[in-house]
């Protein structure tokens, strides 16, 4: 898996202060995307254990609420296994921290791909759906366009239907 950046003390990509991993690779190529530099999975730098340690260092801080994985798309086929391994490790080491994932795939698409279902079961909040420039709303919390949903994954799994996340 390649990545473009790790952002520290971010307040724009989930509840509380977060560390954000910006992965490379996205198949959606949404018109008006705010991060098209991340589309090519071969761009950026290879994600190494040193980079993971940087994230772990941030997660040890009490004021960091958790990690957000964005991009690109964490669910791009070249990212799925590494993203799952990273999330599994974070959940084991920092169970009190929340994991948010931004993806262009919808909840319904994810539920049809067993590999993605495995990943999604490990996260707390999923922001789903492609960015639609015509539906852009800068006041829409945690998403870029109003078609995207901010989903409470664990409640959604329990209920068997999409339950939206309620921000702190």
């Amino acid at each position: 898996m390649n990545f473009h950046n790790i952002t520290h003390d971010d307040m724009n990509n989930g509840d509380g202060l977060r560390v954000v991993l910006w992965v490379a690779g996205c198949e959606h190529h949404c018109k008006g995307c705010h991060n098209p530099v991340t589309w090519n999975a071969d761009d950026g730098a290879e994600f190494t254990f040193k980079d993971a340690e940087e994230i772990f260092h941030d997660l040890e801080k009490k004021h960091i609420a958790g990690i957000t994985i964005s991009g690109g798309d964490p669910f791009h086929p070249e990212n799925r296994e590494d993203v799952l391994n990273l999330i599994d490790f974070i959940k084991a080491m920092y169970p009190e921290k929340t994991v948010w994932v931004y993806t262009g795939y919808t909840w319904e698409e994810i539920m049809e791909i067993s590999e993605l279902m495995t990943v999604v079961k490990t996260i707390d909040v999923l922001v789903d759906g492609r960015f639609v420039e015509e539906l852009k709303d800068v006041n829409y919390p945690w998403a870029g366009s109003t078609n995207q949903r901010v989903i409470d994954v664990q409640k959604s799994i329990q209920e068997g239907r999409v339950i939206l996340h309620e921000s702190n």
Side-chain angles (χ1 to χ4, degrees), residues 3-136:
F3 78 107
H4 281 270
N5 194 22
I6 297 171
T7 306
H8 310 276
D9 298 330
D10 181 281
M11 296 179 1
N12 298 318
N13 293 284
D15 287 332
L17 285 175
R18 313 185 67 73
V19 57
V20 181
L21 173 62
W22 302 92
V23 300
C26 183
E27 300 174 304
H28 307 297
H29 300 186
C30 302
K31 178 183 162 196
C33 172
H34 77 282
N35 215 1
V37 69
T38 64
W39 289 354
N40 186 337
D42 296 324
D43 283 350
E46 181 181 351
F47 187 76
T48 66
F49 185 72
K50 179 178 170 265
D51 303 309
E53 284 182 320
E54 184 178 337
I55 290 170
F56 304 152
H57 175 75
D58 278 354
L59 291 172
E60 289 180 13
K61 299 174 185 174
K62 288 186 186 253
H63 69 274
I64 298 295
I67 185 169
T68 297
I69 306 174
S70 192
D73 194 326
F75 291 166
H76 183 282
E78 291 189 32
N79 296 332
R80 293 172 186 173
E81 183 177 347
D82 291 329
V83 165
L84 176 60
N85 290 337
L86 178 63
I87 293 170
D88 281 346
F89 188 84
I90 289 169
K91 283 298 196 177
M93 295 299 296
Y94 310 99
E96 74 285 0
K97 305 293 182 170
T98 58
V99 176
W100 285 49
V101 173
Y102 281 75
T103 181
Y105 294 96
T106 64
W107 176 266
E108 292 76 16
E109 290 169 327
I110 291 165
M111 292 300 111
E112 293 179 6
I113 303 171
S114 62
E115 185 180 19
L116 289 181
M117 285 175 49
T118 301
V119 178
V120 84
K121 288 178 182 178
T122 65
I123 67 176
D124 299 291
V125 177
L126 178 76
V127 181
D128 82 332
R130 291 154 188 79
F131 173 75
V132 177
E133 190 170 42
E134 296 76 22
L135 299 176
K136 180 178 179 178

